[in-house]
């Protein structure tokens, strides 16, 4: 098996890594609260996109990935998860996102 010698030629086509932005986490939290505390991630993405002025029929892929990465990275970090209250009601791998009520995680 040969390793390609022209690896650097592929670098410009690679997508840049998406960073977790606190503003995006806040938008996700607000979306979940306005959707009743739980929703499928596609609904959360649409809500965030609508609030940013995007046409929900053509949400930029970069925005979708930013929302997904922000939720998942925050959910995996115990301190951040406590700060935002993110949780997965049906467990890891689920696309149903939720927000814990303050009464629940204050106890």
């Amino acid at each position: 098996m040969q390793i390609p010698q022209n690896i650097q030629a592929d670098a410009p086509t690679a997508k840049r890594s998406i960073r977790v932005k606190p503003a995006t986490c806040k938008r996700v939290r607000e979306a979940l609260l306005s959707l009743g505390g739980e929703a499928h991630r596609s609904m959360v993405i649409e809500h965030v996109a609508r609030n940013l002025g995007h046409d929900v029929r053509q949400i930029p892929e970069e925005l979708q990935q930013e929302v997904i990465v922000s939720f998942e990275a925050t959910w995996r970090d115990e301190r951040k998860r406590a700060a935002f209250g993110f949780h997965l009601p049906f467990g890891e791998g689920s696309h149903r996102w939720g927000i814990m009520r303050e009464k629940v995680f204050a106890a």
Side-chain angles (χ1 to χ4, degrees), residues 24-107:
T24 304
C25 293
K26 288 177 187 175
R27 287 185 179 106
V28 170
R29 179 176 168 73
E30 291 168 3
L32 283 166
L33 288 171
S34 70
L35 293 168
E38 276 187 26
H40 190 277
R41 76 179 188 185
S42 62
M43 290 180 67
V44 175
I45 293 168
E46 286 179 9
H47 194 278
V48 170
R50 187 177 299 112
N51 286 344
L52 291 173
H54 293 282
D55 180 356
V56 294
R57 294 171 293 180
Q58 296 179 336
I59 301 170
E61 187 177 331
E62 217 172 72
L63 176 60
Q64 292 178 39
Q65 290 302 315
E66 181 180 326
V67 171
I68 292 168
V69 166
S70 293
F71 180 90
E72 291 187 357
T74 302
W75 176 77
R76 292 181 191 287
D77 184 302
E78 189 175 337
R79 290 175 61 198
K80 289 180 183 177
R81 181 175 58 234
F84 288 98
F86 292 167
H87 78 105
L88 294 171
F90 299 120
E92 188 155 0
S94 170
H95 290 182
R96 181 103 180 146
W97 292 352
I99 192 116
M100 295 180 70
R101 304 280 184 217
E102 292 188 26
K103 293 179 194 171
V104 175
F105 65 90

Side-chain angles (χ1 to χ4, degrees), residues 3-13:
I3 298 174
Q5 297 297 321
N6 198 3
I7 294 174
Q8 294 220 350
D10 294 337
T13 61

